[in-house]
Amino acid sequence: MSRPVRIGNVSGFYGDRIDAAREMVEAGEVDVVCGDYLAELTMLILAKAQDRDGGVGYARTFLTQVEQILGSCVERGIRIVANAGGLDPAGLADAVRAVAAGQGITARVAHVEGDDLRSDLSAISPPVEGAPVSANAYLGAWGITEALAAGADVVVTGRVTDASLVVGPAAWWHDWARDDWDALAGAVVAGHVIECGPQATGGNYPFLDEITDRRYPGFPIAEVAADGGCVITKPDRTGGLVSVGTVTAQLLYEIGPPAYLGPDVTAHFDTIRLEQAGEHRVAVTGVRGSPPPQTLKVALNETGGYRNTMTLVLTGLDIEAKAVHAEQLLFGIVDRDAFDDVDVRLLRFDRPDAASNAEATAHLRITVKSADRRVAGRAFSNATMQLALGGYAGFHTTTPPTDASAFGIYRPARVPRSAVAHTVVLPDGERRTVADPPAFSPTDSQVSAPVRIGEQSKGATRRVPLGAVAGARSGDKGGDANVGVWARDDAGHAWLASFLTAGRVRELLGSEAAERDVEVFELPNLRAVNVVVHGLLGDGVASATRPDPQAKGLGEYLRSRLVDVPEHLLP
């Protein structure tokens, strides 16, 4: 058995910390550097960039990182793998070659393509209407594996799954077979942990008291062993924390049911076991895998129209009455029915007898959408300014009148594997079709694991924030929001799993979740439950009108709610 392969992540999104790559190469002692650049929203951004004259459809920041590290990586045998190719992986591969030539470096560059389905949408289900600006299947890891086996120093891809950036190098390093389900599933879990960069090393972590080194967190490293188990760590002498808690938080980020479907394997998150294996070292073991589904996930981005938001400031007394008056006046000036959608939210930040002017204010946030840019543009925002002298007492806005901006709509779909030409282009130019897995699961559905409903404690309770006994991390999955909630010990999990039902989630999240379909899944090995609130984010982040369009703060809101907690669980 070969030693574990050390894979370091240097990007969690397009626009992440540029210096992470140089820091990882200099201090991480890694075999592979990987980076994730492609969120669902990023594909829309890249499509717009590609559509402009002279525009490119890949993540430009990756090239800046390559300029900084390529020489060191080639000299030391460190491979670079990234999905920064976006909508033009071939173009990015050429750009990397140009960087290498400009620095006098001989670098073997390969790329993976075939995910872009815009030229033929006929096999996608549900059927696609119109012409989406992007339509990308989520490819797996084996194209990356074949490129590395052919000697590539740099492999760039389009839309592969985030975890494939780790699965591909691990399968190459350990020479896994395509049906080594458990090993592949373990690598998927490792990839899921490190794909969002420092979120695994103390970033966005709810228990700040646990993080004694408050410097910017070091980016994560996964040491993936031959059996698929791994150790999560970070470069020495970098900030942050790697603990069972920080790894748990990232494992729960943006997932659904415990059966985590991927193009190469289904990883069963309810089999994951975590153990602190040293300072800033967490061992991940026990992951079981099974065959993947027969179809691939597809991310569609469509043009949605135009939107505009104006925020009116309300101060002092009679906040609700002022808000009603302002809304009535505004839609007496402009016809409410002229817009395709109107979203009005009163955001209460004010407090009685405030110590400062700012603390006495609330916001009336009004967003309109229309297929016609003129309707949603200055005609709307200028109308709000007509309230300046004829509206409520203390009228002012947070911005001057603004023009409308285009927004997109995200739609998830699926496509048969036979309709996707997963292709790797090797450093010598050879084009090779990447074979499908040798077996598939009998269903494309994620099997729900119902939450165990136990008896509530009959002992004394105290009304405290849920966050006194539980951590949470939340995010977006298209139009759905996910909140992973975990306890710090077994007793806390036993209570949490019986307490946090779908009905309780609706109650705690308030009016915007009251009528939503809510699913709750138990992950006992992680002392956690995962909550999915369907439809909370509408048509995805690009079109959402809620103030937190990606549900990043939803978990912290849930933790802030007062609940009756058994006293024996409290510190």
Side-chain angles (χ1 to χ4, degrees):
M1 295 177 65
S2 60
R3 68 169 176 84
V5 57
R6 283 174 59 94
I7 304 171
N9 171 280
V10 298
S11 177
F13 67 98
Y14 185 14
D16 207 350
R17 185 181 178 192
I18 290 289
D19 289 342
R22 181 160 46 194
E23 181 180 89
M24 185 64 69
V25 170
E26 291 176 353
E29 298 182 3
V30 294
D31 304 297
V32 180
V33 166
C34 73
D36 175 25
Y37 299 80
L38 300 184
E40 291 162 351
L41 176 62
T42 310
M43 304 307 287
L44 178 63
I45 294 171
L46 292 177
K48 291 181 178 179
Q50 189 180 48
D51 195 46
R52 291 194 294 266
D53 289 340
V56 296
Y58 54 75
R60 293 176 179 271
T61 54
F62 171 71
L63 280 179
T64 303
Q65 292 180 308
V66 167
E67 289 171 353
Q68 296 176 353
I69 68 172
L70 185 60
S72 295
C73 286
V74 170
E75 179 182 348
R76 294 156 60 180
I78 299 171
R79 310 299 179 99
I80 302 172
V81 178
N83 62 7
L87 297 173
D88 188 10
L92 180 57
D94 286 340
V96 172
R97 293 185 187 99
V99 169
Q103 296 183 352
I105 299 169
T106 300
R108 295 162 295 184
V109 184
H111 74 272
V112 177
E113 61 186 26
D115 59 296
D116 192 339
L117 305 180
R118 286 177 293 183
S119 62
D120 184 359
L121 306 170
S122 60
I124 296 174
S125 178
V128 180
E129 297 180 3
V133 296
S134 69
N136 297 82
Y138 283 72
L139 302 180
W142 290 105
I144 297 170
T145 302
E146 292 191 27
L148 293 172
D153 300 301
V154 183
V155 185
V156 294
T157 76
R159 178 69 278 185
V160 298
T161 66
D162 302 344
S164 292
L165 304 171
V166 169
V167 179
W172 157 69
W173 185 272
H174 295 298
D175 195 23
W176 288 336
R178 291 172 189 259
D179 59 356
D180 283 336
W181 306 125
D182 291 348
L184 292 168
V188 166
V189 169
H192 183 74
V193 172
I194 73 170
E195 71 188 38
C196 289
Q199 278 199 163
T201 58
N204 297 342
Y205 188 59
F207 298 118
L208 279 174
D209 59 300
E210 296 181 12
I211 304 175
T212 57
D213 189 337
R214 298 291 180 87
R215 292 176 298 165
Y216 194 89
F219 275 60
I221 297 169
E223 299 175 353
V224 185
D227 65 355
C230 72
V231 171
I232 304 300
T233 185
K234 64 184 181 70
D236 291 340
R237 297 180 294 280
T238 58
L241 171 71
V242 180
S243 69
V244 169
T246 67
V247 173
T248 296
Q250 179 55 26
L251 281 171
L252 297 172
Y253 182 62
E254 296 184 345
I255 64 170
Y260 189 82
L261 302 183
D264 301 315
V265 65
T266 298
H268 297 273
F269 274 44
D270 51 355
T271 63
I272 298 170
R273 295 189 178 277
L274 304 180
E275 181 182 3
Q276 196 73 40
E279 185 179 22
H280 303 307
R281 293 180 64 82
V282 171
V284 185
T285 59
V287 185
R288 300 301 301 273
S290 60
Q294 300 184 53
T295 59
L296 297 175
K297 177 183 174 183
V298 176
L300 299 166
N301 280 295
E302 305 168 1
T303 300
Y306 298 90
R307 67 177 171 188
N308 201 350
T309 298
M310 288 295 292
T311 301
L312 284 55
V313 181
L314 313 168
T315 308
L317 304 177
D318 307 320
I319 294 293
E320 293 185 6
K322 289 173 180 173
V324 170
H325 184 49
E327 186 176 352
Q328 289 175 338
L329 286 176
L330 176 61
F331 291 112
I333 297 168
V334 292
D335 183 5
R336 192 183 197 114
D337 293 335
F339 305 104
D340 298 331
D341 186 37
V342 175
D343 183 85
V344 181
R345 297 172 186 259
L346 177 59
L347 308 178
R348 300 297 297 265
F349 315 121
D350 55 300
R351 61 186 65 181
D353 192 26
S356 69
N357 192 152
E359 293 174 301
T361 61
H363 287 174
L364 185 64
R365 190 172 183 270
I366 305 171
T367 300
V368 297
K369 294 180 179 179
S370 175
D372 187 336
R373 182 168 193 157
R374 293 168 299 178
V375 172
R378 296 283 180 175
F380 161 71
S381 57
N382 286 339
T384 64
M385 303 312 296
Q386 294 184 44
L387 306 185
L389 303 180
Y392 58 86
F395 171 91
H396 60 287
T397 60
T398 58
T399 64
T402 56
D403 201 357
S405 59
F407 70 91
I409 294 174
Y410 168 81
R411 301 200 191 285
R414 301 199 76 80
V415 67
R417 290 174 182 266
S418 59
V420 178
H422 187 178
T423 303
V424 57
V425 182
L426 301 178
D428 63 1
E430 177 190 350
R431 300 179 64 84
R432 187 181 297 173
T433 299
V434 179
D436 283 334
F440 302 105
S441 64
T443 175
D444 284 354
S445 301
Q446 292 170 296
V447 179
S448 302
V451 165
R452 167 173 45 88
I453 304 299
E455 286 204 17
Q456 287 291 302
S457 171
K458 300 293 194 295
T461 62
R462 192 185 313 165
R463 196 157 183 80
V464 297
L466 176 61
V469 293
R473 176 162 289 169
S474 57
D476 62 316
K477 294 293 288 182
D480 301 337
N482 118 278
V483 186
V485 188
W486 74 95
R488 284 168 142 171
D489 54 38
D490 292 338
H493 172 252
W495 171 80
L496 182 67
S498 59
F499 172 79
L500 205 59
T501 63
R504 190 67 53 77
V505 170
R506 292 188 191 94
E507 174 189 330
L508 293 175
L509 292 183
S511 58
E512 68 172 346
E515 303 300 323
R516 300 288 180 189
D517 179 19
V518 175
E519 292 184 283
V520 183
F521 307 100
E522 188 178 8
L523 296 157
N525 287 359
L526 301 178
R527 299 191 183 113
V529 296
N530 184 47
V531 175
V532 179
V533 185
H534 291 276
L536 186 72
L537 307 179
D539 291 321
V541 58
S543 67
T545 54
R546 70 189 306 270
D548 178 16
Q550 291 180 285
K552 301 296 188 184
L554 192 64
E556 287 303 288
Y557 172 58
L558 182 64
R559 292 182 71 236
S560 74
R561 297 308 308 271
L562 296 179
V563 299
D564 295 319
V565 175
E567 287 192 344
H568 72 273
L569 297 180
L570 296 172

